[in-house]
C-alpha cells in the first residue's frame, strides 16, 4: 500500500522515537519472516532472537517508555500460511494454543507490553493469561482479536507479513462468518471471561454494528475501563 513499508530493526527504532515525540503511547509490531525460516510448525515464532524480539529489545533500549503490542499467531511463520498448526487439511486447536502460549512468553521476555492473539483458536486467551501469570508477567496485557471475520480486507496485511503467497486454502474454518453476528458477542464474552483486557472487532469499519453491540453488552458495563472495544 502507498506509504506503507517494511522496516529494518534500526528503522523501526527511528520510527518508535518519532512516535514517542508525537506522544503516541503504543506501537504494534508485525514481522515479515523470510521463506527459508518458515516451516510447518512455525518454529521461528519461538526463537527468542527472531525479528520481532530483536525489534522489541532495540526499541525498548532507545525508547523505554513507549508501549509495544505484538501480534500472536503463526501465519507469519508457517510454510502453509495458516494461523495454527495443521494435521492434514485440518487446523488443530489445542496443539496450536500450546505453541501460542510459548510465543507469548518469548515476546513478553523480550519486553512486549501487550499480547494480541489474532489466531482465533478456542481457549487461547485463558491459556495465554495463565502462562503469562505463571511466568511472572502479570503486568503484560492481552488485547484479543475477539471478533475476527473472514474477509478480503486482509489482503494488504497478509502481503505485509508474507502469508498471502504461502496460504493454502482459506481461513474460514476458524475466522468468523459475517452472517452470524450473535457469534461475535459470544466470542467477546468468552475472551473477557478468560482474561482479555481489551477486545477487537476486525475489520472494524464494515462491522460498526458489531462494535456497537459489543460496547453495549452487559459484560462491559461493570468495568468500562477494563473492557474497551477496538476496531481495525
Amino acid at each position: 500500500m502507498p506509504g506503507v513499508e517494511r522496516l529494518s530493526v534500526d528503522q523501526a527504532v527511528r520510527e518508535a522515537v518519532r512516535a514517542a515525540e508525537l506522544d503516541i503511547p503504543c506501537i504494534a509490531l508485525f514481522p515479515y519472516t523470510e521463506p527459508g525460516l518458515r516451516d510447518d510448525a512455525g518454529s521461528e515464532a519461538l526463537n527468542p532472537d527472531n525479528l520481532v524480539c530483536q525489534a522489541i529489545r532495540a526499541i525498548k533500549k532507545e525508547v523505554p517508555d513507549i508501549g509495544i503490542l505484538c501480534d500472536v499467531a503463526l501465519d507469519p511463520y508457517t510454510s502453509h500460511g495458516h494461523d495454527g498448526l495443521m494435521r492434514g487439511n485440518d487446523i488443530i486447536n489445542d496443539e496450536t494454543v500450546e505453541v501460542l502460549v510459548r510465543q507469548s512468553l518469548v515476546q513478553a521476555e523480550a519486553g512486549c507490553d501487550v499480547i494480541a492473539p489474532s489466531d482465533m483458536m478456542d481457549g487461547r486467551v485463558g491459556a495465554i493469561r495463565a502462562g503469562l501469570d505463571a511466568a511472572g508477567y502479570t503486568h503484560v496485557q492481552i488485547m484479543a482479536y475477539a471478533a475476527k471475520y473472514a474477509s478480503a480486507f486482509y489482503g494488504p496485511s497478509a502481503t505485509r507479513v508474507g502469508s498471502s503467497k504461502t496460504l493454502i486454502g482459506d481461513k474460514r474454518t476458524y475466522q468468523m462468518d459475517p452472517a452470524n453476528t450473535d457469534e461475535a458477542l459470544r466470542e467477546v464474552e468468552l475472551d473477557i471471561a478468560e482474561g482479555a483486557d481489551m477486545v477487537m472487532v476486525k475489520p472494524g469499519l464494515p462491522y460498526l454494528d458489531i462494535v456497537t453491540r459489543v460496547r453495549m453488552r452487559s459484560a462491559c458495563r461493570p468495568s468500562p475501563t477494563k473492557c474497551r472495544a477496538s476496531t481495525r
Side-chain angles (χ1 to χ4, degrees):
M1 295 182 70
V4 178
E5 300 176 348
R6 294 176 182 148
L7 303 176
S8 60
V9 171
D10 60 325
Q11 291 172 329
V13 171
R14 287 197 292 270
E15 289 299 315
V17 171
R18 181 169 173 266
E21 291 171 348
L22 293 171
D23 293 326
I24 295 172
C26 186
I27 59 176
L29 301 180
F30 296 85
Y32 172 79
T33 304
E34 294 292 339
L37 294 175
R38 293 170 174 265
D39 59 26
D40 288 350
S43 304
E44 183 66 8
L46 306 182
N47 177 4
D49 198 36
N50 64 27
L51 182 61
V52 165
C53 293
Q54 289 181 42
I56 295 170
R57 289 192 292 267
I59 291 169
K60 283 295 187 179
K61 181 178 180 180
E62 190 69 25
V63 198
D65 293 333
I66 199 165
I68 296 180
L69 179 150
C70 290
D71 179 69
V72 167
L74 299 183
D75 56 323
Y77 306 99
T78 54
S79 54
H80 46 69
H82 279 284
D83 295 47
L85 304 178
M86 297 189 74
R87 182 178 297 128
N89 293 324
D90 297 326
I91 302 294
I92 47 177
N93 189 93
D94 294 355
E95 292 88 339
T96 297
V97 170
E98 292 176 7
V99 177
L100 297 175
V101 172
R102 294 165 62 193
Q103 181 185 10
S104 300
L105 291 172
V106 165
Q107 294 178 351
E109 183 178 2
C112 176
D113 300 291
V114 183
I115 295 295
S118 64
D119 56 284
M120 293 302 288
M121 300 297 119
D122 293 336
R124 90 276 203 212
V125 172
I128 290 171
R129 182 74 271 162
L132 290 171
D133 289 354
Y137 297 113
T138 56
H139 60 287
V140 175
Q141 299 181 52
I142 296 176
M143 183 187 75
Y145 286 60
K148 184 177 182 181
Y149 289 99
S151 173
F153 282 104
Y154 304 150
S157 176
T159 300
R160 174 188 58 198
V161 300
S163 63
S164 59
K165 293 183 179 180
T166 60
L167 180 62
I168 299 171
D170 58 49
K171 302 184 178 183
R172 295 180 184 179
T173 61
Y174 51 97
Q175 292 181 354
M176 296 173 62
D177 178 5
N180 187 352
T181 60
D182 288 343
E183 182 184 25
L185 303 182
R186 291 194 295 270
E187 292 292 337
V188 166
E189 290 182 352
L190 285 169
D191 285 352
I192 293 172
E194 290 179 16
D197 298 279
M198 295 165 276
V199 294
M200 176 185 282
V201 176
K202 184 177 179 178
L205 188 59
Y207 298 106
L208 294 179
D209 58 329
I210 302 302
V211 174
T212 299
R213 292 185 69 188
V214 168
R215 187 65 185 87
M216 295 303 294
R217 291 291 285 189
S218 59
C220 296
R221 291 174 183 165
S223 180
T225 59
K226 179 71 173 176
C227 177
R228 299 182 291 280
S230 170
T231 66
R232 260 192 83 201

